[in-house]
Amino acid sequence: QIYALSFPEIIDPETGEPVRALAVESAKTIRVEVPKGTNITHLTPVLELSPDSYNAVFTQPWDTPQDFTSPVSSEDKSKTVTYTVTVVERQED
């Protein structure tokens, strides 16, 4: 199980903290809002696993930038779970 996803290199101007979103486990989704103007096709995520996921491995190379147009996958032995990650630019008020 993925607990959260963050982008440490992107700082939320409202909080001063890295952009981060929690997974909705029941729907296997993560929706991340980034500041307007962020290149959402070139982001390097940090994934946080839930404590129950100590055997999980990722099928994507998470140490390189990703474009997030495909689902995120994590795998625990023979069980594959797919999470859909949506990254959207926050609209200016």
Side-chain angles (χ1 to χ4, degrees):
Q1 295 177 345
I2 296 175
Y3 176 72
L5 180 143
S6 63
F7 299 111
E9 72 276 12
I10 302 172
I11 302 300
D12 185 331
E14 293 178 9
T15 66
E17 298 290 325
V19 170
R20 183 174 181 258
L22 299 179
V24 177
E25 185 56 34
S26 61
K28 302 290 189 252
T29 61
I30 304 170
R31 184 177 190 277
V32 184
E33 289 188 6
V34 297
K36 187 171 178 126
T38 302
N39 180 359
I40 64 172
T41 65
H42 195 77
L43 299 172
T44 304
V46 172
L47 297 170
E48 299 172 48
L49 296 175
S50 74
D52 297 332
S53 299
Y54 56 87
N55 288 327
V57 295
F58 296 107
T59 59
Q60 302 227 13
W62 294 110
D63 57 348
T64 59
Q66 304 291 313
D67 70 6
F68 292 97
T69 58
S70 299
V72 174
S73 296
S74 68
E75 191 174 298
D76 184 0
K77 296 184 181 176
S78 63
K79 177 182 170 186
T80 298
V81 178
T82 300
Y83 288 77
T84 301
V85 177
T86 304
V87 178
V88 296
E89 288 184 71
R90 191 175 291 147
Q91 298 302 310
E92 291 183 23
D93 295 331

